[in-house]
Amino acid sequence: MAQSKQPDTMEKIISLCKRRGFVYQGSEIYGGLAGTWDYGPYGVALKKNIEGLWWKRFVTDREDMYGMDAAILMNQNVWKASGHVGGFSDPLVECAKCKRRFRADQIIDKKKCTECGGTLGEEKQFNMMFKTQIGATEDETSISYLRPETAQGMFVNFKNVYDSFHPKLPFGLAQIGKAFRNEIAPRDFLFRVRELEQMEIEYFVRPSEWEEKFEEFRKEVWEFTKDVGLPKENIHELEVPDGERAHYSKRTIDFEFDFPFGKKELYGLAYRTDYDLGSHSKASTVPLEYFDEDTKERFTPHCIEPSFGVGRTMLAVLASAYTEDEMGGETRTFLKFAPAVAPVKIAVFPLLKNKPQLVEKAREVYALLKKEFGAVEFDDNGNIGKRYRRQDEIGTPFCVTVDFDTLEKDNTVTVRDRDSGIQTRVAIAELLERLTKLLG
Ligand code: ATP
C-alpha cells in the first residue's frame, strides 16, 4: 500500500483541521485575528490527550513533582525581576514604504522589503509582552502583562510549595497553561502564535547534581515524544552554543522537529542555574532558599527547565500522522494517530441504518464500549465505506461494525484496523478485552 506525504501537506492539514473540527482560525467570522486559533471538539480532545500524557509522565507518575496552576496576570515586579521587561524582545525592522514589520533575524536581505521592494529601516528591539492595565486607574502602578511564559508562576510559588509540603531536593513544580507573546510575524499554523499553551517544569536541584538531572530530563523528553507517537527520526537535538543561549542559561538543548516547513524548535531543555530564584529573592526581599537538615546549610537551589509547547506538539503530531494512500481504488486521507492521542478511540456502526435490529444491537455494543473507553462514537449516517473514511480522517484507530452475522450467527462483530483496513471478527463477549489490548 503506497503511502505519501506531499509538499503541500501544511495546506492539507490546515484544511482537514477546519473541515473536521480540530482547529479554526480565531475570530474567523470577523476576518480572523493573526496568531490566534480556536480548538474545536476534536482539537480540544487531541490537546487534552497530549496534556494528559504529559501530566501523567511528569507529575502523577512521579513522587518528586508538584503540580500547580498560577494566575496569568502577575505583579509587574515579577517581570522586572525576571528580565522580561528589559529584555524579552525580538529585533524588528519596518519597511518605510508599506509599513510592514519583519523579524530582523528571520529575513535574509535586511535592507529591502520582500513585499514591496521599499527600504527597511533601522533594527529596533520590540518587547513581545502584551501590556495591560489592572483596575480603574491608569498609571504606572496599574501596569501588568499577560505572562509570556508559565515558568515565573512557579518560581514565585517556590516558597509556598516548599512551606506546605517540605519537599527534599531534588523536586520540581509543573504547570500547564496559557502564555502570550506579541510575535512580530505569527506563522505556520500552530507553530508561531500569539496566544499559546505551555507545559513547563522547574526542577530544583543542588548545584552539584545539575548535570545528572539534566541528563535524566533529556531522556524523559525523548520518552514523552514516544508517548505522543512522534517518529524518533524526525526529532533532533541541538546543543545551543555559547553566546546564543538566553542570558540565564548555562546549558540549553533545543529539541527540533522536521515540520513540513523545515526543522524548527519543538521543545527546550535549559539549565537556568540559580538565576530565577536568586533574582526574585533579591527583588522581593523574600529569601527563596532551601535548608538542608543534614548539613544545616541554607542555599538557593539551581533549576533545570524542560519546556514544551502544546500547539507545537499538536502540529508535530498532526504532521506525523497525516497520510494519504490508495484503498478500495480511491485515494484516502487518514491520520495515523497513536491510540493514546486519538480524539476518538472507537467508532461503532450498524451495517445498515434502516434495520432496527442492527441499530439496536449496535447501540448495545456502543453503550458497552462508551462506558469503558469514553471517547467512542456511534455513526449510522451514509454507507459503511463513507463512515470508515470519516473515521480514518479524524484518526480513529478502530471501527466496530454490527452486521447480519452478528444477529443471525455468532454474536460477533467486525473490528476494522484504521491503518491496514483489515477487518477481524471478534465475539462481543471478548470485545472489551481485545480493544483494551489493541489500544495499548
Ligand atoms: P522560538 O525561538 O521558536 O521563538 P523560544 O526559544 O522563544 O522559541 P521558549 O521561550 O523556549 O521558546 O518557549 C518554550 C516553548 O514554548 C518552545 O519550545 C515552544 O514549544 C513554545 N513556544 C514558544 N513560543 C511559541 C509561539 N509563539 N507559538 C507557539 N509555541 C511557542
Side-chain angles (χ1 to χ4, degrees):
M1 199 179 344
Q3 295 184 346
S4 65
K5 288 196 200 273
Q6 306 292 333
D8 54 353
T9 304
M10 275 308 284
E11 278 139 62
K12 290 182 174 176
I13 291 173
I14 296 170
S15 134
L16 187 153
C17 280
K18 177 174 159 63
R19 193 172 66 247
R20 298 308 314 275
F22 280 85
V23 182
Y24 309 112
Q25 194 188 357
S27 315
E28 191 178 356
I29 62 166
Y30 287 98
L33 180 67
T36 66
W37 297 91
D38 296 341
Y39 289 82
Y42 291 138
V44 75
L46 173 59
K47 185 162 88 76
K48 280 188 184 295
N49 290 341
I50 290 169
E51 292 173 352
L53 288 166
W54 188 90
W55 196 260
K56 178 173 177 342
R57 170 167 294 282
F58 291 108
V59 183
T60 42
D61 282 358
R62 299 177 63 123
E63 287 181 34
D64 57 349
M65 210 68 94
Y66 296 83
M68 55 164 302
D69 188 7
I72 288 172
L73 294 171
M74 300 176 85
N75 189 307
Q76 57 171 289
N77 291 326
V78 170
W79 305 109
K80 286 182 183 162
S82 68
H84 284 81
V85 171
F88 190 63
S89 47
D90 273 342
L92 170 126
V93 283
E94 191 177 271
C95 172
K97 198 164 145 200
C98 72
K99 305 289 173 208
R100 279 199 181 83
R101 293 172 150 200
F102 304 91
R103 243 179 84 168
D105 57 343
Q106 285 178 352
I107 50 174
I108 300 162
D109 188 344
K110 295 197 175 26
K111 299 264 173 277
K112 198 165 139 196
C113 175
T114 46
E115 298 294 321
C116 73
T119 310
L120 297 179
E122 282 295 301
E123 192 174 305
K124 286 186 268 182
Q125 286 302 314
F126 172 74
N127 194 301
M128 293 203 291
M129 283 200 294
F130 283 98
K131 206 175 196 176
T132 187
Q133 299 284 142
I134 306 278
T137 38
E138 288 194 15
D139 60 24
E140 272 301 299
T141 60
S142 64
I143 291 175
S144 187
Y145 303 90
L146 300 185
R147 67 180 178 201
E149 60 176 31
T150 61
Q152 300 304 322
M154 291 182 271
F155 292 124
V156 302
N157 277 289
F158 170 85
K159 189 174 182 318
N160 285 333
V161 175
Y162 184 53
D163 289 348
S164 323
F165 295 89
H166 311 289
K168 294 258 177 289
L169 279 182
F171 71 90
L173 303 185
Q175 125 163 286
I176 299 178
K178 292 248 181 180
F180 302 81
R181 297 182 180 190
N182 198 1
E183 296 279 356
I184 296 166
R187 63 175 66 182
D188 297 324
F189 193 31
L190 306 175
F191 180 80
R192 189 169 300 287
V193 295
R194 289 186 170 132
E195 180 172 335
L196 55 133
E197 209 150 343
Q198 292 181 314
M199 306 181 282
E200 292 195 300
I201 293 163
E202 305 309 326
Y203 195 75
F204 300 105
V205 300
R206 289 186 165 76
S208 59
E209 63 189 347
W210 79 264
E211 275 153 316
E212 179 196 332
K213 296 296 161 194
F214 191 94
E215 281 310 313
E216 279 176 26
F217 275 107
R218 186 180 186 173
K219 290 197 190 102
E220 282 294 284
V221 173
W222 280 102
E223 289 303 314
F224 177 69
T225 65
K226 265 198 245 164
D227 294 345
V228 295
L230 295 180
K232 202 169 168 232
E233 61 275 15
N234 292 131
I235 303 165
H236 316 274
E237 286 189 8
L238 172 78
E239 184 79 50
V240 181
D242 289 348
E244 287 180 30
R245 287 190 298 270
H247 57 284
Y248 51 74
S249 172
K250 275 243 175 85
R251 186 175 181 197
T252 299
I253 291 178
D254 282 351
F255 289 79
E256 298 188 314
F257 182 78
D258 296 318
F259 287 100
F261 42 85
K263 190 164 78 167
K264 297 268 161 72
E265 177 178 331
L266 176 64
Y267 307 138
L269 173 63
Y271 167 44
R272 298 177 73 122
T273 69
D274 58 354
Y275 176 82
D276 304 275
L277 291 185
S279 306
H280 287 305
S281 293
K282 215 158 127 197
S284 66
T285 70
V286 176
L288 304 177
E289 290 173 334
Y290 179 81
F291 180 67
D292 191 317
E293 306 279 351
D294 301 327
T295 63
K296 307 292 175 215
E297 240 189 309
R298 199 175 284 282
F299 60 94
T300 308
H302 282 220
C303 180
I304 312 276
E305 180 194 71
S307 179
F308 304 71
V310 177
R312 287 190 191 179
T313 308
M314 189 150 151
L315 183 54
V317 165
L318 281 163
S320 310
Y322 186 89
T323 314
E324 289 173 7
D325 69 2
E326 296 296 320
M327 192 177 270
E330 44 179 272
T331 304
R332 144 181 106 131
T333 298
F334 69 110
L335 292 174
K336 225 176 188 173
F337 284 142
V341 297
V344 178
K345 311 291 180 209
I346 305 157
V348 182
F349 313 145
L351 181 66
L352 297 171
K353 187 183 181 167
N354 53 6
K355 297 279 179 225
Q357 282 162 302
L358 284 178
V359 175
E360 195 185 321
K361 190 75 188 169
R363 279 270 167 208
E364 256 175 51
V365 172
Y366 167 70
L368 175 81
L369 299 181
K370 183 94 181 149
K371 196 162 163 235
E372 182 71 16
F373 301 106
V376 180
E377 280 193 354
F378 181 87
D379 189 4
D380 60 4
N381 217 339
N383 72 46
I384 195 89
K386 284 217 178 86
R387 286 182 246 161
Y388 283 142
R389 296 291 175 275
R390 273 206 297 273
Q391 293 299 331
D392 289 346
E393 233 193 355
I394 60 161
T396 305
F398 299 102
C399 292
V400 170
T401 302
V402 170
D403 58 16
F404 291 107
D405 281 358
T406 317
L407 304 178
E408 289 158 15
K409 278 164 78 183
D410 48 9
N411 223 19
T412 62
V413 291
T414 63
V415 174
R416 174 186 174 272
D417 174 81
R418 174 196 63 204
D419 301 346
S420 64
I422 291 170
Q423 298 179 29
T424 323
R425 292 209 78 88
V426 178
I428 293 176
E430 287 162 22
L431 199 53
L432 284 184
E433 200 187 325
R434 177 72 75 91
L435 285 168
T436 303
K437 217 177 259 166
L438 287 171
L439 289 166

